[in-house]
Amino acid sequence: MRKHCHCGGMMNLDFRLVIFEGIIEIDRVPIYECEEGCFYEVFPAIKEDLKELLASLKQQGKTGRVIFTEMNELAHFIFEIYRTWDEGEASSFEALLEQKSNEHINLLLDLYGCAKSMNDTEWMNETSNRLAQMSNIVKDRQFSEVNQRFPY
């Protein structure tokens, strides 16, 4: 997954360790890194979730290491595709991510419907949170498409 860097180079998707205030390590955070090494950016669709997690961990006084892909549906989803995607495949990473995310959102919607029919509010809330995280990639994709059509 690639995008343009402000330096003119290209940025690639990778998963990195983020150290927060020297006391909390968040591993497997999806980031874009510039091929020139001049800039790093947290993957936009998970940035708010990462901020919320950091604030929560700080408030709880937690220290040590946390695996972000175990705490965030979207990060886990992207990581699994990233880990198994072969650059020689016919479809691009972006196309595969779009296809798989649509399938995953449909699955979560089916799970939500099942939970609702069983009146299981805890399951409904859990599934709703997972859907909210996954919807960030759809919003991010739509925003990117608009920016490509109407550059400023």
Side-chain angles (χ1 to χ4, degrees):
M1 188 164 217
R2 298 169 56 91
K3 71 180 220 168
H4 289 282
C5 181
H6 66 277
C7 75
M10 290 303 294
M11 297 180 82
N12 297 306
L13 179 67
D14 201 357
F15 287 78
R16 294 290 177 151
L17 175 71
V18 173
I19 301 173
F20 179 67
E21 295 186 353
I23 57 171
I24 302 172
E25 296 179 346
I26 313 289
D27 204 359
R28 293 189 192 160
V29 176
I31 58 114
Y32 281 114
E33 69 178 315
C34 179
E35 291 176 341
E36 306 300 321
C38 66
F39 191 71
Y40 296 88
E41 175 185 341
V42 173
F43 190 75
I46 62 96
K47 191 172 189 174
E48 290 305 313
D49 292 337
L50 179 62
K51 285 189 208 176
E52 288 175 16
L53 174 63
L54 291 171
S56 173
L57 293 172
K58 184 177 180 179
Q59 182 182 30
Q60 296 171 26
K62 299 273 183 170
T63 60
R65 180 174 278 202
V66 173
I67 308 296
F68 191 63
T69 54
E70 293 175 1
M71 306 187 80
N72 184 276
E73 182 85 12
L74 181 55
H76 173 76
F77 182 78
I78 295 169
F79 182 71
E80 288 303 311
I81 293 172
Y82 176 83
R83 233 174 30 87
T84 58
W85 179 68
D86 177 12
E87 289 187 43
E89 287 185 29
S91 62
S92 69
F93 182 85
E94 291 84 354
L96 185 61
L97 181 61
E98 182 175 355
Q99 174 199 346
K100 296 286 186 185
S101 63
N102 289 339
E103 291 171 4
H104 193 69
I105 288 169
N106 286 335
L107 173 69
L108 290 172
L109 287 169
D110 289 345
L111 285 174
Y112 185 87
C114 183
K116 186 175 180 180
S117 70
M118 297 172 68
N119 291 320
D120 189 333
T121 55
E122 184 177 332
W123 191 15
M124 287 169 60
N125 290 337
E126 177 189 317
T127 306
S128 181
N129 289 335
R130 293 171 67 190
L131 274 164
Q133 290 175 8
M134 287 300 297
S135 71
N136 288 337
I137 194 129
V138 174
K139 288 186 278 189
D140 189 54
R141 185 172 58 232
Q142 290 170 341
F143 182 72
S144 294
E145 288 171 1
V146 168
N147 280 342
Q148 288 175 0
R149 278 187 265 150
F150 304 105
Y152 43 107

